[in-house]
């Protein structure tokens, strides 16, 4: 910029009167309130939260708010006042062309006819040729004339939805969320999977609940939670924890690709269920720095609900125990065919999502897979949070009292806590992952807040993996058998069930149980035959009988089964 332009700009700035706070228009006052919150001293996470909330309040992007804040620091209140041009809203074309453009567009979209802006511009060009006019409105001018009319016409549409490749999601408080990058907007919802599951002993349990977290920009499934607990804020929190953390799976999952999605969203967009309006979820959002937003209408949830249909049609329908989505059309043998456990189904779902769903091309993604779009849409490499920062997402159990020696009892299992001997007699809070409760996290209340103390381990189960459902099933079975419920008994019960159902379907197990009931027919030996037998024959016969009763175990197979 040269000196002359600087002088002109300075003269224009000097002619603009300094605004007074009390006389600011309401829009400028709202901007000032937002900026004042950004001026307050706070940590980085809180500042990011305030920045996103302020952008939503003003109906602008975070980047636009940052530019406004910078201008305020340079210009003061003047930056908050919008000075409109005198000719704003007017087009510098004569009335003839303006009326011709509007009339052509309206006539071209009557009844079943459809005409777009480009076609109107062609009609304008043809009319100018007919009138021998050389100065006629360009395509951009035609678009400026028609845009207010088009916006007014579309204002009655419930949801802005897709415009080309751009998505707009309307919130209950009247804002439009526009996910332009990865991890901008996540969506979360629950469904009951259309498949019946059994426990480790083969007894029918029922249909599990599946919770998914979807990235709106890429359509990637970024996290899940599978279990029998009904939808709640705890279930949502577990799904979020899974989505936020990097995901690593054992070799027995048989994955060919990586589930490389992780990070923290800017917004979590959900329906209005009470699990999404809970104080627990609000605390998680505040601590992790994202904003909760509710859908304006049910139709806004298409992105998160569509994968449920895909999972039912492409995965669950191919598995034993599939119930179908309609009770009247449920297969007759669904209960008899059920043979999958929760852990087995979870492995199949993970494999389907990682190797197929996230690696597939969405209809609106062009030539990119969902995961490729997720990678390409990142503003920067997401920050990896520690598991301790995400303990707030773990399920919380009622408080427990520390026993002498630093022991704790939870779900009939005894735990030994590190450095808990000094807390004997005190009440603590427990958090745990229901997929594996061999380790729990201990917290205490300090000045109205939970403070992490230590971990506690299930005695004798340190090398095992035990889910909450398995622990409850084992305890129930032991009580029915009038046996003592303790760590050793639960471990032994789980091992026996593993052995009894190892590599056998439910039908095979039932057939085996029936065969045990049938009495085997043994040959009858008379006294005369015994007297005629020699001593060597009797000895050999006794040895054969003894050897037949010996049960042989494969050491290598037992090591694989129990992780020795």
């Amino acid at each position: 910029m040269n000196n002359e332009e600087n002088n002109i700009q300075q003269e224009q700035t000097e002619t603009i009167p300094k605004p007074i706070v009390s006389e600011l228009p309401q829009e400028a006052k709202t901007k000032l309130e937002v900026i004042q919150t950004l001026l307050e001293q706070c940590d980085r996470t809180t500042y990011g939260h305030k920045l996103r909330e302020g952008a939503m309040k003003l109906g602008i992007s975070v980047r636009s708010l940052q530019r406004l804040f910078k201008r305020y620091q340079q210009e003061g209140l003047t930056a908050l006042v919008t000075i409109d041009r005198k000719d704003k809203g007017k087009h510098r074309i004569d009335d003839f062309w303006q009326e011709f453009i509007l009339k052509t567009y309206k006539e071209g979209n009557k009844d079943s006819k459809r005409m777009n802006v480009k076609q109107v511009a062609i009609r304008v060009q043809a009319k100018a040729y007919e009138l021998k006019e050389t100065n006629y409105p360009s395509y951009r001018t035609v678009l400026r004339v028609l845009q207010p009319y088009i916006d007014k016409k579309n204002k009655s549409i419930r949801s802005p939805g897709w415009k080309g490749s751009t998505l707009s999601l309307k919130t209950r408080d009247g804002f439009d969320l526009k996910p332009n990058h990865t991890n901008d907007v996540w969506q979360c919802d629950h469904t009951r999977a259309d498949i019946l599951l059994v426990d480790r002993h083969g007894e029918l349990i029922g249909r599990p609940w599946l919770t998914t977290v979807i990235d709106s920009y890429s359509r990637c499934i970024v996290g899940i939670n599978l279990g029998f607990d009904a939808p709640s804020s705890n279930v949502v929190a577990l799904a979020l924890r899974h989505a936020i953390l990097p995901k690593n799976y054992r070799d027995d999952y048989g994955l060919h690709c990586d589930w490389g999605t992780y990070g923290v969203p800017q917004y979590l967009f959900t329906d209005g269920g009470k699990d999404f309006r809970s104080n627990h979820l609000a605390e998680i959002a505040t601590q992790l720095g994202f904003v909760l937003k509710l859908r304006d209408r049910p139709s806004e949830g298409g992105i998160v609900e569509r994968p449920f249909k895909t999972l039912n049609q492409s995965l669950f329908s191919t598995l034993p125990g599939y119930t179908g989505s309609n009770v009247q059309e449920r297969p007759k043998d669904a209960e008899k065919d059920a043979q999958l456990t929760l852990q087995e189904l979870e492995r199949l779902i993970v494999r389907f999502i990682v190797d197929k769903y996230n690696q597939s091309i969405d209809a609106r993604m062009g030539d990119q897979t969902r995961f490729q779009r997720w990678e390409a849409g990142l503003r920067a490499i997401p920050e990896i949070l520690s598991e301790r920062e995400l303990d707030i997402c773990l399920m919380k159990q009622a408080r427990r009292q520390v026993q002498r020696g630093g022991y704790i009892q939870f779900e009939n299992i005894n735990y030994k806590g590190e450095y808990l001997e000094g807390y004997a007699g005190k009440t603590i809070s427990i958090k745990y992952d229901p997929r594996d409760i061999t380790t729990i996290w201990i917290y205490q209340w300090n000045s109205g807040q939970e403070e992490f103390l230590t971990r506690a381990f299930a005695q004798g189960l340190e090398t095992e993996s035990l889910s909450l459902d398995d622990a409850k099933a084992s305890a129930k079975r032991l009580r029915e058998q009038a046996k003592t419920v303790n760590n050793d008994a639960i471990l032994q019960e789980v091992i026996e069930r593993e052995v009894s159902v190892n590599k056998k379907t439910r039908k095979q197990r039932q057939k085996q149980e029936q065969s045990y009931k049938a009495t085997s027919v043994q040959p009858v030996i008379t006294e005369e035959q015994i007297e005629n037998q020699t001593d060597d024959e009797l000895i050999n016969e006794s040895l054969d009988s003894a050897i037949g009763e010996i049960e042989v175990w494969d050491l290598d197979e037992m090591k694989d089964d129990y992780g020795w």
Side-chain angles (χ1 to χ4, degrees):
M1 187 180 290
N2 54 36
N3 292 332
E4 185 178 351
E5 289 175 338
N6 277 330
N7 293 333
I8 293 171
Q9 185 175 1
Q10 187 175 358
E11 288 175 6
Q12 291 176 343
T13 305
E14 289 174 355
T15 58
I16 300 173
K18 298 285 184 180
I20 302 171
V21 175
S22 60
E23 296 179 1
L24 287 174
Q26 185 57 45
E27 182 182 358
K29 287 180 180 179
T30 306
K31 291 178 181 177
L32 182 59
E33 289 173 4
V34 171
I35 286 174
Q36 285 174 340
T37 63
L38 297 177
L39 291 170
E40 297 171 358
Q41 294 293 329
C42 59
D43 57 33
R44 184 179 175 184
T45 302
T46 306
Y47 180 80
H49 182 71
K50 288 180 179 179
L51 200 63
R52 289 188 288 271
E53 280 286 10
M56 284 299 301
K57 189 173 183 179
L58 297 178
I60 60 177
S61 67
V62 171
R63 183 62 184 147
S64 297
L65 178 55
Q66 289 174 327
R67 286 196 292 265
L68 177 64
F69 184 63
K70 187 176 181 181
R71 282 182 53 209
Y72 174 81
Q73 290 176 316
Q74 295 171 347
E75 304 173 15
L77 293 175
T78 307
L80 308 181
V81 180
T82 304
I83 301 173
D84 295 334
R85 294 195 340 255
K86 291 181 179 179
D87 61 345
K88 184 179 179 182
K90 297 181 180 179
H91 309 284
R92 283 176 278 185
I93 59 173
D94 57 40
D95 293 340
F96 169 78
W97 283 118
Q98 191 160 335
E99 290 176 6
F100 178 81
I101 291 169
L102 285 170
K103 184 178 179 181
T104 303
Y105 183 79
K106 290 177 181 178
E107 290 292 332
N109 286 280
K110 269 188 177 179
D111 302 323
S112 61
K113 295 184 291 183
R114 293 292 178 268
M115 179 180 286
N116 58 33
V117 177
K118 186 173 284 188
Q119 290 166 334
V120 174
I122 293 172
R123 293 289 181 91
V124 169
Q125 189 177 0
K127 187 66 175 177
Y129 180 79
E130 180 187 333
L131 298 175
K132 297 181 180 179
E133 286 274 355
T134 56
N135 187 20
Y136 56 88
S138 66
Y139 167 76
R140 290 184 178 279
T141 304
V142 172
L143 179 60
R144 283 198 298 270
V145 172
L146 291 176
Q147 196 62 56
Y149 177 78
I150 294 171
D151 290 342
K152 185 178 179 181
K153 185 179 177 183
N154 293 337
K155 196 172 183 181
S156 60
I157 299 176
R158 291 183 174 182
S159 169
W162 285 96
K163 289 184 179 179
S165 60
T166 305
L167 175 66
S168 184
L169 302 166
K170 200 164 193 65
T171 66
R172 187 172 292 186
D173 51 2
F175 292 104
D176 288 339
L177 295 178
K178 295 181 179 179
N180 296 317
H181 296 89
T182 296
N183 294 347
D184 277 358
V185 182
W186 284 1
Q187 299 190 44
C188 182
D189 208 352
H190 320 274
T191 190
R192 203 154 202 172
D194 293 337
I195 186 169
L196 293 169
L197 300 182
V198 299
D199 64 12
R200 292 190 178 187
H201 200 67
E203 293 184 1
L204 195 67
I205 301 177
R207 294 163 56 197
W209 284 94
L210 175 63
T211 303
T212 59
V213 182
I214 311 288
D215 174 53
S216 299
Y217 175 77
S218 63
R219 303 292 192 92
C220 254
I221 298 178
V222 294
I224 63 168
N225 184 72
L226 184 70
F228 291 103
D229 292 311
S232 66
S233 63
N234 286 327
V235 172
V236 176
L238 287 170
L240 281 174
R241 187 175 191 269
H242 182 253
I244 291 169
L245 288 172
K247 287 160 275 293
N248 299 305
Y249 288 95
R250 303 185 306 270
D251 293 339
D252 60 345
Y253 276 74
L255 302 180
H256 297 94
C257 302
D258 292 329
W259 196 342
T261 61
Y262 66 97
V264 179
Q266 289 192 15
Y267 299 97
L268 181 64
F269 186 62
T270 65
D271 62 30
K274 64 180 182 180
D275 49 330
F276 296 115
R277 293 183 284 108
S278 66
N279 292 331
H280 182 206
L281 199 58
E283 289 175 10
I284 293 172
T286 302
Q287 181 167 319
L288 300 182
F290 62 86
V291 181
L292 297 173
K293 289 295 176 183
L294 302 180
R295 299 178 198 159
D296 183 41
R297 297 178 184 274
S299 57
E300 298 285 343
I303 286 179
V304 71
E305 291 171 357
R306 186 63 183 85
F308 293 145
K309 184 177 181 181
T310 302
L311 282 164
N312 274 325
Q313 291 178 342
S314 302
L315 178 63
F316 298 153
S317 62
T318 66
L319 302 175
Y322 176 65
T323 63
S325 56
N326 193 326
V327 177
Q328 283 81 19
E329 298 176 2
R330 174 174 292 187
K332 295 180 180 179
D333 297 331
E335 287 81 2
K336 294 181 180 178
D337 291 340
Q339 64 185 56
L340 291 175
T341 64
L342 187 70
Q343 289 77 16
E344 290 169 341
L345 180 63
E346 192 256 352
R347 280 198 292 269
L348 292 171
I349 291 174
V350 168
R351 194 181 305 161
F352 179 86
I353 291 172
V354 175
D355 289 343
K356 185 173 182 180
Y357 189 85
N358 284 353
Q359 298 300 327
S360 299
I361 296 175
D362 190 274
R364 294 183 182 272
M365 301 301 106
D367 58 351
Q368 286 181 318
T369 66
R370 293 183 177 93
F371 182 65
Q372 286 172 339
R373 184 172 171 87
W374 185 90
E375 284 187 309
L378 287 170
R379 287 191 179 91
I381 297 175
E383 180 185 358
I384 299 178
L385 301 184
S386 69
E387 293 194 20
R388 293 288 69 75
E389 291 179 87
L390 291 170
D391 279 354
I392 191 174
C393 296
L394 291 171
M395 292 189 76
K396 189 189 303 181
Q397 183 66 15
R399 299 181 187 181
R400 291 289 186 272
Q401 193 174 61
V402 180
Q403 299 172 7
R404 186 180 299 174
Y407 288 92
I408 299 168
Q409 190 173 59
F410 169 61
E411 290 296 337
N412 300 296
I413 298 175
N414 288 320
Y415 293 81
K416 180 71 166 66
E418 298 173 333
Y419 317 116
L420 277 182
E421 291 88 346
Y423 292 87
K426 293 186 177 181
T427 302
I428 48 85
S429 179
I430 295 173
K431 291 186 179 181
Y432 61 94
D433 186 342
R435 292 170 296 184
D436 185 4
I437 61 169
T438 55
T439 302
I440 59 176
W441 288 266
I442 312 300
Y443 283 75
Q444 71 169 353
W445 282 92
N446 187 9
S447 301
Q449 292 185 338
E450 285 185 336
E451 181 182 85
F452 176 69
L453 280 181
T454 184
R455 297 176 300 175
F457 302 96
Q459 297 296 285
L461 300 172
E462 292 86 354
T463 59
E464 301 294 326
S465 177
L466 183 68
S467 71
L468 180 64
D469 292 324
D470 282 335
K472 288 182 175 180
S474 295
K476 181 181 177 182
R477 190 174 298 278
L478 289 169
R479 289 194 193 96
E480 290 173 351
Q481 297 173 357
K483 293 182 179 179
T484 304
V485 181
N486 55 40
N487 291 34
D488 293 336
I490 288 176
L491 176 61
Q492 188 61 36
E493 203 277 336
V494 170
I495 291 174
E496 288 175 359
R497 278 191 287 155
E498 286 283 359
V499 172
S500 66
V501 300
N502 187 29
K503 299 178 183 179
K504 293 187 179 72
T505 66
R506 192 181 183 203
K507 288 184 176 179
Q508 289 173 331
R509 294 193 297 271
Q510 290 174 343
K511 187 176 180 181
Q512 186 181 35
E513 289 174 2
Q514 291 172 358
S515 67
Y516 289 151
K517 296 177 183 178
T519 55
S520 56
V521 179
Q522 300 291 339
V524 179
I525 302 176
T526 62
E527 292 181 4
E528 184 178 352
Q529 289 175 324
I530 293 174
E531 289 177 358
N532 293 334
Q533 283 182 323
T534 64
D535 292 340
D536 291 338
E537 288 175 343
L538 287 172
I539 292 170
N540 290 334
E541 194 174 283
S542 299
L543 286 172
D544 290 340
S545 176
I547 292 172
E549 294 175 358
I550 295 174
E551 189 173 4
V552 181
W553 294 78
D554 190 321
L555 181 59
D556 292 334
E557 187 176 341
M558 291 178 69
K559 285 181 179 178
D560 291 337
D561 288 342
Y562 305 120
W564 292 347

